[in-house]
Amino acid sequence: MSAAVSLQDLTAQLEELEREAARSIAAADGSAALEELRVGLLGKKGRLSAVLGAMGRLSAEERPLVGQRANVLKEQVQGLLHERLESLKQAALSERLERERLDVTAPCRYVPPGQRHPLISTIEEIVDIFAGLGYRVSEGPEIESDHYNFTALNIPPHHPARDMQDTFYLAPGADGQERLLRTHTSPVQIRHLEANPPPARIVAPGRVFRRDAVDATHSPVFHQVEVLALDEGLDFSHLRGTVMAFLKQFFGDLPVRFRASYFPFTEPSAEVDVQWRGRWLEVMGCGMVDPAVLEGLGIDSERWSGFAAGLGVERFCMVRHGIDDIRRLYTSDLRFLEQF
Ligand code: DAH
């Protein structure tokens, strides 16, 4: 038989439990500690269960008094546990917000976006102007055959004009055909006319290659834009008008002159100079498409006539931006490129 228990004893125990619970819950520093307290206070083997166990030894009238008090205490403790857990969560959140605070006024490292290379923007501008005049873009391969680069352009084997352009030759292709890096964009004229019946109005931008030593005005790789117009009744005045309209739109009012020249695929031929920094600078070759070129393509040269031009992109770019050395366009020096 266990020792007698009085109502006062149990009530005092419950009061003590209440004070202690309040103190320890307030001191708990995390959810694990709170769970430990919950088990110790309200669990099956916890302090409250011990009081309720002893209750059986009270009289039938006293038991409900302790039972009621115990129930109130249980709810109280559950409430305290919940509140403490919530306030710990809130504190953790505030602490984290404080720690991860972003100072939007702090100075930052500005990384500028990339920009167009001046050669690319020059090509785009040239092509845009011709597009505005009704020309379409046409393109051809950089690796060409002797036929398209020379023969079809009225430059037969051993013709002295081949010496005008020192060529990079490649090993023959699988078909045994001689291959080379195109020395100009003019072969695109032939490829276009072969695939499309006249009339034609095209611009063909691209890279070209020549065995030139590098200096301030020469590079073995450079860029051209080819222009071709073929229609009924075109004559030199159309060529001149088109070139003048283009140059005016690109450069504004720079002085321009046409000089008689020679190209095997045009007759008559001319070179065009613009005056820049007190000197005449050649920017393109042009002329009326030689009837022999058209006949070679099976095009009736009595009916169709046209003009063609080849523009040196680097020259246009250098005049536009006041660049005095072509090598600057290829050395990828950011201090230079960032200016455009
Ligand atoms: N293909 C010539 C060259 O690279 C430039 C040229 C001259 C192109 C006259 C033409 C033209 O279309 O009519 O030197």
Side-chain angles (χ1 to χ4, degrees):
M1 192 72 197
S2 37
V5 180
S6 70
L7 175 63
Q8 285 78 7
D9 279 348
L10 291 187
T11 311
Q13 275 179 36
L14 288 176
E15 278 166 7
E16 172 61 17
L17 198 55
E18 185 184 339
R19 278 193 297 277
E20 233 187 276
R23 203 178 329 116
S24 52
I25 289 172
D29 61 358
S31 56
L34 285 172
E35 179 58 15
E36 209 175 291
L37 282 173
R38 190 189 65 76
V39 172
L41 293 166
L42 307 178
K44 269 195 201 133
K45 296 178 185 159
R47 304 266 303 272
L48 191 63
S49 292
V51 176
L52 292 173
M55 205 171 72
R57 278 174 265 146
L58 293 178
S59 66
E61 303 82 58
E62 289 171 333
R63 246 179 264 152
L65 298 175
V66 175
Q68 248 176 29
R69 182 85 177 82
N71 279 340
V72 171
L73 178 60
K74 187 176 172 183
E75 272 174 28
Q76 242 177 325
V77 170
Q78 279 171 337
L80 287 174
L81 286 167
H82 178 75
E83 271 171 31
R84 179 66 186 150
L85 190 62
E86 285 306 305
S87 84
L88 282 172
K89 274 191 201 160
Q90 198 53 51
L93 179 64
S94 311
E95 193 263 339
R96 189 169 155 212
L97 287 174
E98 186 61 31
R99 181 162 32 90
E100 295 178 2
R101 175 197 218 118
L102 209 66
D103 181 358
V104 294
T105 67
C108 66
R109 208 171 91 79
Y110 172 67
V111 182
Q115 61 223 56
R116 284 252 186 290
H117 189 282
L119 274 178
I120 300 294
S121 54
T122 302
I123 290 175
E124 285 177 349
E125 197 175 334
I126 293 171
V127 167
D128 276 357
I129 294 174
F130 278 100
L133 295 172
Y135 288 69
R136 282 201 302 118
V137 173
S138 184
E139 277 173 314
E142 293 178 341
I143 295 178
E144 265 298 5
S145 64
D146 184 274
H147 172 77
Y148 286 108
N149 197 76
F150 293 123
T151 311
L153 286 161
N154 201 29
I155 317 176
H158 312 301
H159 190 285
R162 293 206 184 203
D163 298 341
M164 289 163 70
Q165 303 181 354
D166 252 334
T167 309
F168 287 112
Y169 286 96
L170 305 172
D175 54 2
Q177 265 229 353
E178 177 127 51
R179 295 187 308 165
L180 47 84
L181 296 180
R182 67 178 176 192
T183 57
H184 52 175
T185 44
S186 301
V188 184
Q189 293 187 33
I190 306 300
R191 288 181 176 276
H192 181 84
L193 291 176
E194 240 177 31
N196 306 274
R201 273 184 181 71
I202 55 152
V203 260
R207 281 199 299 186
V208 300
F209 309 82
R210 288 187 200 173
R211 291 173 52 131
D212 275 333
V214 176
D215 64 25
T217 53
H218 292 87
S219 160
V221 182
F222 58 103
H223 299 75
Q224 291 187 333
V225 175
E226 192 78 12
V227 181
L228 171 70
L230 194 66
D231 211 327
E232 288 170 315
L234 290 183
D235 60 37
F236 202 91
S237 67
H238 298 105
L239 165 59
R240 192 184 157 83
T242 303
V243 168
M244 293 303 286
F246 163 73
L247 289 175
K248 189 172 166 104
Q249 209 169 328
F250 190 93
F251 287 124
D253 278 323
L254 284 192
V256 176
R257 78 176 178 195
F258 281 64
R259 251 184 315 108
S261 183
Y262 169 75
F263 298 101
F265 36 91
T266 46
E267 180 59 33
S269 305
E271 279 173 307
V272 181
D273 303 335
V274 295
Q275 200 169 55
W276 184 58
R277 295 188 174 170
R279 289 174 39 220
W280 288 105
L281 193 68
E282 182 205 324
V283 291
M284 71 173 88
C286 60
M288 300 308 294
V289 178
D290 193 308
V293 172
L294 298 178
E295 294 300 332
L297 287 161
I299 296 171
D300 178 2
S301 63
E302 295 291 326
R303 177 173 172 205
W304 302 101
S305 62
F307 57 83
L311 287 61
V313 173
E314 278 74 1
R315 288 284 173 87
F316 281 89
C317 180
M318 289 166 77
V319 173
R320 158 62 56 85
H321 297 292
I323 299 166
D324 56 3
D325 191 323
I326 198 171
R327 288 168 289 199
R328 291 200 183 283
L329 294 172
Y330 306 113
T331 42
S332 304
D333 184 336
L334 282 181
R335 291 169 303 178
F336 169 74
L337 293 175
E338 275 167 357
Q339 301 173 66
F340 302 96

